[in-house]
Amino acid sequence: MKDIYILGIETSCDETSASIVKNGNEEIATVVLSQIDIHKDFGGVVPEIASRHHVKNITIVIEECLEKANMEINQIDGIAVTYGPGLVGSLLVGVEAAKTLAYANNIPLIPVNHMSGHIYANELEKPLEFPLIALVISGGHTELIYMKDHYNFEKIGGTLDDAVGECYDKVARIVNVPYPGGPTIDRWAYEGKDTYSLSLPLNDDSYNFSFSGLKSAVINLVHNEKQRGNEIRKKDLAASFQNTVIEIITKKTMRALKDYQVNHLIIAGGVAANKVLRERLMELCQKENISFSCPSIQHCTDNAAMIAASGYHAYLLGHRADLTLNPQSSLELANQKAVNNKE
Ligand code: KG4
Ligand code: ZN
């Protein structure tokens, strides 16, 4: 069979990225230009600034990627682009670049959901095995997805308010850690002790999550300690917060695997880079004879290799978009086929 090369383009938030992936799992070249340092001063991503930087960088990133791969654009079989969910102005830059390249070079244009990209980052490690449960945890999402087959997404649970990564970043901000604070909280938690008492949020029989109450509990705890003149033990607070988050996430994920009689768990998204969460899930899965897969750390946070990996399967399934493709900031994973499948 002929080798298939997909060029992935990702601009949904604050990373401008392009990647070429062969046959859905072999990363040939990837370029990721992060804007984290630019947004740090504002304590989060400023949408208008993000889109302006994407505009400035998109052509450079795509050209550099082709150069790194030592390939010409006419060797590309499909251009996969993130068209949602994300910041609409940021998404627009990637979508317009992909449409222009596809049209000018007569290459199929493949619409990819950002969350599907996070899930397919796992294929860069090993092939997905079905049926599976995917725990997708990022700065914007916290979802449990049941997949019977490729591109068959059934959302069985999600957050009712803040996403888990968002909660990490907000808790980090309370203790003066710059955006994005997740990795620092993760590091501190590893060194600290779970000594602060925080209750498990939405500890019920659903597969849903809620993190805004936990965030408020941490804010109140910090204020109360300050009022009493007590010093906050930041590492212990990080450990207490992280243990609470991980306990509720692992509890609901393991129950979903049991209820759906599924033997394969994958995790995805920026928070999947969390060291303790990875270790804990690996242990629990081993005990239950469940296979566990997580992307490499650099493929957990936003990158275009995951978009190309997902785009490969979309390409095989015949998903195509034409020049009317528009970004959709609140695109749902389950709706993808209905919204944008041009066969
Ligand atoms: O997937 P991603 O790069 O962007 C979105 O699609 O949202 O995820 C970024 C999120 C941020 O909230 C960041 O703090 C969090 O992932 N994150 C972590 C870790 N590394 C990144 N959270 C906890 N532990 C980590 N090691
Ligand atoms: Zn993401």
Side-chain angles (χ1 to χ4, degrees):
M1 208 174 105
K2 178 190 173 298
D3 288 327
I4 305 287
Y5 291 89
I6 303 289
L7 169 67
I9 297 176
E10 158 65 36
T11 62
S12 68
C13 191
D14 57 346
E15 264 90 28
T16 318
S17 181
S19 175
I20 295 167
V21 170
K22 179 178 162 186
N23 298 332
N25 55 19
E26 193 181 324
E27 190 177 9
I28 304 295
T30 300
V31 178
V32 183
L33 206 96
S34 175
Q35 303 177 9
I36 281 181
D37 286 340
I38 296 161
H39 298 281
K40 236 176 198 157
D41 293 344
F42 303 96
V45 178
V46 184
E48 180 62 21
I49 297 178
S51 11
R52 267 190 257 156
H53 278 88
H54 286 307
V55 170
K56 206 170 92 187
N57 296 325
I58 187 75
T59 321
I60 303 167
V61 165
I62 295 171
E63 277 175 358
E64 201 180 311
C65 178
L66 284 163
E67 212 171 285
K68 221 170 141 183
N70 204 11
M71 288 179 77
E72 302 287 335
I73 189 75
N74 59 16
Q75 292 173 275
I76 298 294
D77 298 284
I79 300 179
V81 64
T82 307
Y83 74 109
L87 302 169
V88 74
S90 292
L91 289 164
L92 189 63
V93 180
V95 167
E96 289 310 314
K99 284 202 282 198
T100 310
L101 270 179
Y103 179 69
N105 299 285
N106 203 17
I107 300 170
L109 178 65
I110 308 155
V112 172
N113 181 305
H114 181 76
M115 305 319 290
S116 150
H118 274 304
I119 289 174
Y120 276 88
N122 280 279
E123 282 254 318
L124 296 166
E125 304 305 316
K126 60 179 188 191
L128 300 184
E129 291 177 88
F130 301 101
L132 62 78
I133 295 280
L135 169 67
V136 189
I137 37 180
S138 72
H141 292 263
T142 308
E143 283 169 14
L144 276 169
I145 310 281
Y146 172 61
M147 286 179 77
K148 276 192 208 141
D149 204 347
H150 281 296
Y151 265 73
N152 188 325
F153 308 107
E154 187 190 330
K155 181 173 162 181
I156 61 170
T159 181
L160 305 179
D161 39 59
D162 290 359
V164 61
E166 188 183 351
C167 189
Y168 261 92
D169 295 339
K170 285 178 177 164
V171 163
R173 209 170 159 177
I174 302 163
V175 284
N176 299 322
V177 174
Y179 170 85
T184 308
I185 296 289
D186 184 12
R187 221 174 36 249
W188 283 358
Y190 216 74
E191 295 162 18
K193 285 201 179 76
D194 181 355
T195 53
Y196 289 103
S197 159
L198 294 164
S199 42
L200 282 188
L202 203 66
N203 187 15
D204 63 3
D205 287 341
S206 76
Y207 303 116
N208 290 325
F209 301 96
S210 164
F211 293 105
S212 79
L214 177 62
K215 173 191 67 190
S216 305
V218 173
I219 295 175
N220 290 340
L221 193 154
V222 171
H223 284 170
N224 288 343
E225 291 293 294
K226 272 188 186 159
Q227 270 169 0
R228 289 195 193 110
N230 296 338
E231 203 183 310
I232 298 291
R233 300 182 310 278
K234 288 182 181 177
K235 290 185 178 172
D236 291 348
L237 183 64
S240 309
F241 164 73
Q242 176 155 293
N243 262 0
T244 311
V245 168
I246 290 180
E247 195 176 331
I248 194 66
I249 287 183
T250 51
K251 190 173 173 185
K252 293 205 169 181
T253 304
M254 296 312 289
R255 184 155 50 75
L257 285 158
K258 201 167 170 197
D259 293 353
Y260 279 76
Q261 299 180 348
V262 166
N263 290 325
H264 306 290
L265 171 67
I266 63 170
I267 59 171
V271 185
N274 189 276
K275 197 170 150 80
V276 181
L277 179 68
R278 290 162 87 102
E279 285 175 4
R280 193 84 48 94
L281 281 173
M282 197 180 292
E283 258 170 45
L284 288 168
C285 285
Q286 246 166 18
K287 237 189 247 168
E288 304 289 332
N289 254 335
I290 287 166
S291 79
F292 173 66
S293 162
C294 49
S296 65
I297 301 287
Q298 82 267 20
H299 290 142
C300 283
T301 44
D302 291 350
N303 67 86
M306 68 186 200
I307 303 303
S310 179
Y312 170 76
H313 287 278
Y315 175 88
L316 294 185
L317 288 165
H319 296 197
R320 302 289 184 268
D322 61 20
L323 296 183
T324 60
L325 181 71
N326 270 323
Q328 293 181 33
S329 58
S330 319
L331 183 66
E332 288 279 341
L333 199 46
N335 285 344
Q336 187 174 12
K337 272 191 183 172
V339 175
N340 245 298
N341 191 13
K342 291 210 147 216
E343 293 186 343

